Amino acid sequence: MTSGVDLSQFYETFFDEADELLAEMEQLLLELDASSPDIEQLNAIFRAAHSIKGGAATFGCFNQLAETTHLLENLLDAIRRGEMALRPHMIDTFLETKDVLKGQLDAYRASEEPDSQAYERICAVLRQLALEERGQGAVPADAAPAPVQSAPSQPVAPAAQAASAVPAPAATPTGASAAQAGQGPLCVRIVRVKPKDAQSLLEELGNLGRVLRSEQGEDTLTAWVDSTCSAEDIEAVCCFIIDADQISITHEPLPAQPAAEATPATAAGDLDAFAQAAENFAAGAPQAAPAAPAQASAAAGADAARAAALQPAATRPGNAPARSRPAQSAADKESSSIRVGVEKVDQIINLVGELVITQAMLAQMASTLDPVLHDRLLNGMEQLERNARDLQEAVMSIRMMPMDYVFSRFPRMVRDIAAKMGKQIELQTYGRATELDKSLIERIIDPLTHLVRNSLDHGIETPEKRIAAGKDPVGQLILSAQHNGGNIVIEVSDDGAGLNRERILAKAAQQGIPVSENASDDEVWQLIFAPGFSTAEQVTDISGRGVGMDVVRRNIQDMGGHVQLFSRPGQGTTTRIILPLTLAILDGMSVRVGAETFILPLNHVTESLQPTMEQIHSVAGNERVIHVRGEYLPLVELHRVFSVEGAQTDPTQAIAVIMQAEERRFALLVDHLVGQHQVVVKNLEANYRKVPGISAATIMGDGSVALIVDVFALSRANREKWAQPDAILN
């Protein structure tokens, strides 16, 4: 990058990308099988660590992050090359390192210094791990040549650090390792490159393999690299510094080395440099940032190349058995997405909402025109309506995010809590690709976390108890998501002991909560959501304090959704969360009550009819139900709910709209059905105040304001209000 450019403008982009890479690294580590690790997973983990290290070192001010990822990268590189065996405790260490990296990243994002104690501790752990797995990692005193008094001060290439600590007694011709499986090493040619960028590129090439030789011209760089990485991988890494059209990679044999570079004196100096590099690695000496001075970087690359030449062919990491990699197309290398600020997306959504309002206004005006005289205008209005709907759907999809964003957070939690509690739990996820609006997906994380922790702590039993009950010792925890009409249904299921009805009733009686012994299971399960309610025999640091489930229900209701519980003793518990797909633009049915217009969400409307006197029945005093095809449905009169004057009070002269919410049906009595159309949701609470029974407002085509009915609130109020018929929502 040219001098004078303020790199701080790229910090936020780096932080976002590093967050994504850390999340990907954690997921891959959790999926990794220590007994037979997948080489593609190892390569992906290595690339994530390498990308973070490269970005941190480029900025030059995130030293702790760069150093930590550098040590992690070296270990991962040795494992993926077969130089080091992967063990289960290593995965735990790498996960702990990821946590430290996340803390460092958050500190840098907040313009603070990371925790130095955590940094020193994890670096010491990583260095000790390298020493243990490499046979104590130190260079034997009788095997290493005596170092020169003036030790080299230049940074050491990672490829040289990862090499064996015992140098070969004799040099092997460089060209002997130039070919693998009958073809030469990778020849990387880069044009229109600045000297500063050339040294950074050499450093990156050294991280990906062994630089056998490099030749640098005025604005060109040619390097021969012995690497197990594919040409696509090398190109992808180099494109962090240069453009794709500047680089070409082919398989070419290594040119003959000038005799002057193979003199005994030079070879002896190379041995000394390599010995010093091995000592630095064993001692855990801090490594210099990639952006070193040009002379030092060039010397480091040359030292790495010459050290590689001094190793026997049989001991070189590059000569490990080649692992197959799937071929990648050119399209895979191209970025398939761009990063756009949320505020810009919200601005587009707001503008589309205004367009929908304008289109509705024009449609209402055009409906009064003569279709014969204004045929072309009306056809244009129909086309505008179609285009507005397509544009709305396309724009709303921008805000949609897959549930994988949420589900990916839980494998680590399940793993850690299960190990802490001595339980064996297998996590399964379904519907990762199911999409939810970004405004909701951030808010659903906390409720799901409470539910998962409850299942892990109170739901799934210990292996001993499961075996005694005739179950598999490994418990099952299932997270799933799916679309259902205009809603998304998220479920947390376990195969544990289930809810204890007697214990819940006893706890309710102890806390003075009125409940009948003959209450249905659903009513008993709902007691769990009472504030401070808990049936846990003992409080743990995971759960059991009676705090959380009431917050879960309240948060879900604030999102316009609701929660359901299903449980079978000895078989497990399922918690179901139902949320609307979007809160920006919805399909609605406009109805009139007196002089007021209300909007009913169309996805809750099942049918409408004009009732007869034979269908209307009185119950519980002045409450009424309607009989529809063998089912008795509560009759909710909208004019009574909102105290609307001048409304139709005779049900036989009104319209009954059958609504469904929370798996319950009820009839909503209105005066007239106006029509179906898209409405733009406007937050009523932000512009006025919260109104019970109203979820939001919208602007109609004539400029008037219509209220959008909260169907879930009506359903809950109707279920709870039988003793207060005159104040359903109050």
Side-chain angles (χ1 to χ4, degrees), residues 186-248:
L186 291 172
C187 179
V188 183
R189 288 188 173 87
I190 305 171
V191 297
R192 306 189 308 278
V193 61
K194 299 178 181 179
K196 181 180 179 180
D197 292 338
Q199 308 311 320
S200 300
L201 288 167
L202 279 176
E203 172 72 19
E204 296 296 338
L205 292 175
N207 292 336
L208 297 175
R210 185 172 297 108
V211 180
L212 303 178
R213 179 180 295 185
S214 63
E215 297 177 356
Q216 187 172 348
E218 183 176 350
D219 60 348
T220 61
L221 174 65
T222 304
W224 286 263
V225 183
D226 186 5
S227 174
T228 58
C229 297
S230 65
E232 289 81 4
D233 286 342
I234 295 178
E235 181 176 341
V237 171
C238 292
C239 284
F240 279 104
I241 304 175
I242 59 172
D243 296 329
D245 61 350
Q246 294 178 248
I247 185 172
S248 64

Side-chain angles (χ1 to χ4, degrees), residues 9-148:
Q9 61 183 311
F10 305 111
Y11 284 178
E12 196 60 35
T13 300
F14 167 71
F15 293 147
D16 291 341
E17 292 181 349
D19 267 332
E20 295 174 1
L21 290 170
L22 287 176
E24 178 187 1
M25 183 189 301
E26 181 180 77
Q27 183 176 350
L28 290 169
L29 285 170
L30 293 171
E31 296 173 355
L32 202 60
D33 185 1
S35 59
S36 59
D38 187 286
I39 186 61
E40 294 302 324
Q41 289 180 328
L42 289 174
N43 287 336
I45 299 170
F46 168 79
R47 286 194 294 269
H50 178 72
S51 298
I52 297 174
K53 186 210 75 171
T58 299
F59 291 112
C61 53
F62 307 136
N63 298 328
Q64 289 192 17
L65 186 64
E67 174 62 17
T68 308
T69 48
H70 181 71
L71 295 174
L72 176 63
E73 176 194 39
N74 285 342
L75 288 171
L76 292 170
D77 190 41
I79 294 172
R80 74 191 186 111
R81 291 175 178 271
E83 304 169 5
M84 184 183 297
L86 180 64
R87 306 182 188 278
H89 74 276
M90 291 184 179
I91 298 179
D92 296 331
T93 301
F94 295 158
L95 287 171
E96 185 181 1
T97 306
K98 178 263 169 187
D99 294 338
V100 174
L101 292 173
K102 183 67 169 77
Q104 293 173 349
L105 194 66
D106 293 341
Y108 287 129
R109 191 193 291 267
S111 301
E112 301 174 354
E113 283 298 317
D115 186 351
S116 58
Q117 292 184 353
Y119 161 69
E120 293 173 359
R121 179 185 57 81
I122 199 65
C123 287
V125 170
L126 294 174
R127 290 178 180 125
Q128 182 62 32
L129 185 62
L131 294 176
E132 292 175 355
E133 296 298 325
R134 293 174 180 269
Q136 305 305 318
V139 180
D142 56 348
V148 190

Side-chain angles (χ1 to χ4, degrees), residues 129-419:
L129 185 62
L131 294 176
E132 292 175 355
E133 296 298 325
R134 293 174 180 269
Q136 305 305 318
V139 180
D142 56 348
V148 190
Q149 294 297 324
S150 58
S153 59
Q154 66 267 24
V156 182
Q161 298 171 358
S164 171
V166 183
T172 311
T174 309
S177 65
Q180 293 185 3
Q183 58 183 354
L186 291 172
C187 179
V188 183
R189 288 188 173 87
I190 305 171
V191 297
R192 306 189 308 278
V193 61
K194 299 178 181 179
K196 181 180 179 180
D197 292 338
Q199 308 311 320
S200 300
L201 288 167
L202 279 176
E203 172 72 19
E204 296 296 338
L205 292 175
N207 292 336
L208 297 175
R210 185 172 297 108
V211 180
L212 303 178
R213 179 180 295 185
S214 63
E215 297 177 356
Q216 187 172 348
E218 183 176 350
D219 60 348
T220 61
L221 174 65
T222 304
W224 286 263
V225 183
D226 186 5
S227 174
T228 58
C229 297
S230 65
E232 289 81 4
D233 286 342
I234 295 178
E235 181 176 341
V237 171
C238 292
C239 284
F240 279 104
I241 304 175
I242 59 172
D243 296 329
D245 61 350
Q246 294 178 248
I247 185 172
S248 64
I249 303 176
T250 58
H251 283 281
E252 294 184 13
L254 189 66
Q257 187 176 3
E261 297 186 13
T263 59
T266 306
D270 293 339
L271 284 172
D272 294 336
F274 182 66
Q276 184 64 41
E279 291 178 0
N280 289 342
F281 180 81
Q287 305 298 319
Q295 297 83 357
S297 298
D303 285 345
R306 288 191 282 268
L310 295 171
Q311 279 188 282
T315 64
R316 291 178 198 149
N319 286 341
R323 297 170 173 88
S324 60
R325 295 179 53 88
Q328 298 182 355
S329 62
D332 295 333
K333 297 181 293 180
E334 300 177 358
S335 177
S336 59
S337 62
I338 59 174
R339 194 178 299 276
V340 180
V342 176
E343 65 279 357
K344 294 183 178 180
V345 177
D346 289 340
Q347 184 182 10
I348 294 176
I349 293 176
N350 291 334
L351 291 174
V352 171
E354 297 299 325
L355 177 63
V356 172
I357 295 173
T358 305
Q359 181 268 326
M361 179 186 67
L362 294 175
Q364 185 169 340
M365 296 174 60
S367 63
T368 62
L369 301 177
D370 188 339
V372 178
L373 299 177
H374 303 89
D375 178 63
R376 296 182 61 184
L377 175 61
L378 295 178
N379 289 337
M381 289 301 304
E382 293 178 359
Q383 184 64 40
L384 175 61
E385 183 179 1
R386 289 193 296 268
N387 291 343
R389 179 177 289 272
D390 292 342
L391 179 61
Q392 175 258 318
E393 293 176 354
V395 171
M396 292 305 303
S397 66
I398 298 176
R399 284 293 300 265
M400 306 300 282
M401 295 181 62
M403 285 298 297
D404 183 59
Y405 177 82
V406 177
F407 288 173
S408 61
R409 299 169 180 259
F410 294 106
R412 176 71 182 283
M413 177 192 297
V414 172
R415 184 180 189 272
D416 292 345
I417 293 180

